[in-house]
Amino acid sequence: MRRPFSLLPVSLILAGAVALPGMVQASVEIPAENTEASASPEVSADNTEAPASLEASAENSEASTSPEVSADNSEVSASPEISTKVVLLLGRREISVIRDGEKLGPWPVAIGDPRTPTPTGVFKVENKVINPQYQSTKSGRVNPAIGVASPLGDRWIGFLQSGQNQFGIHGTPWPYWVNAKAAVTNGCVRMLHAHVRQLFDVVEVGTTVEILR
């Protein structure tokens, strides 16, 4: 897990997911060709990967407004709420979105190593970060890489806070592990850049995340 760093205009500094409600610190991940341990950018439960700074996306910063009123002073009824749920099947290592009865995906993912498994259960999206920055919970060092070269890719969706750290769904600069559907992470869920961007665009803070074995 990792924690996003405040990067204006791309991310705002928070202290949760690893450093704020969505920021997570973790040790820098170094790709390994054949060793799963070194291949995972995440850290253990108390050192999970997450963005170093938390940034709310534009679609999550809308201010509430009073009901719209039509010319004849009658209230305009709001559009029905769109029902969205993220479903991750750990056994198949696939993630998808059920949105108004339609399924988007499934997309392949890399999940937690058996020693640092991805949690199962029903959670909620806690934060969304564009261009998260990785920070180590052990050393406090911030990885300078931002965007697709970052260990967290250019999208972060945090769904479970654990102490200073946060479990999340994010991109990765090492697509091999995702395509291989490997179990190499410290509990986070890695996706290909194109796929995590699609997921990011259809979920909101509060969206249900269901993780099943």
Side-chain angles (χ1 to χ4, degrees):
M1 297 173 50
R2 299 163 189 177
R3 142 187 191 176
F5 215 76
S6 332
L7 302 173
L8 294 177
V10 197
S11 35
L12 309 174
I13 298 181
L14 297 175
V18 195
L20 269 193
M23 304 183 290
V24 182
Q25 299 174 314
S27 49
V28 177
E29 168 177 24
I30 300 175
E33 301 191 9
N34 297 309
T35 13
E36 289 190 348
S38 58
S40 165
E42 290 114 303
V43 279
S44 65
D46 18 327
N47 292 306
T48 29
E49 70 179 89
S53 67
L54 184 58
E55 169 183 42
S57 66
E59 53 222 28
N60 291 324
S61 55
E62 294 182 0
S64 59
T65 58
S66 21
E68 207 177 317
V69 179
S70 63
D72 58 271
N73 295 320
S74 57
E75 289 189 3
V76 175
S77 58
S79 318
E81 227 177 275
I82 294 178
S83 170
T84 304
K85 179 171 72 170
V86 178
V87 179
L88 170 59
L89 302 178
L90 295 176
R92 301 185 66 170
R93 294 176 192 176
E94 291 180 346
I95 195 169
S96 57
V97 178
I98 309 300
R99 186 173 171 80
D100 269 1
E102 294 185 3
K103 185 175 182 180
L104 304 179
W107 300 295
V109 296
I111 63 171
D113 180 279
R115 295 164 297 180
T116 53
T118 299
T120 58
V122 179
F123 312 99
K124 297 282 186 185
V125 172
E126 296 179 344
N127 55 59
K128 296 171 59 181
V129 184
I130 295 176
N131 288 334
Q133 191 165 25
Y134 182 85
Q135 183 174 11
S136 169
T137 49
K138 291 183 177 179
S139 66
R141 289 189 192 129
V142 175
N143 187 316
I146 299 231
V148 295
S150 163
L152 300 176
D154 61 8
R155 296 291 188 277
W156 168 270
I157 303 168
F159 63 84
L160 175 61
Q161 192 74 33
S162 177
Q164 282 188 310
N165 305 298
Q166 184 181 47
F167 288 93
I169 302 165
H170 61 83
T172 177
W174 304 293
Y176 169 80
W177 299 113
V178 176
N179 289 325
K181 296 186 175 181
V184 294
T185 79
N186 249 14
C188 282
V189 180
R190 296 183 206 164
M191 298 179 67
L192 300 178
H193 295 307
H195 296 163
V196 75
R197 288 171 193 155
Q198 291 180 63
L199 178 63
F200 188 95
D201 288 345
V202 297
V203 301
E204 303 291 346
V205 170
T207 295
T208 297
V209 177
E210 187 173 357
I211 303 179
L212 307 171
R213 293 190 186 282

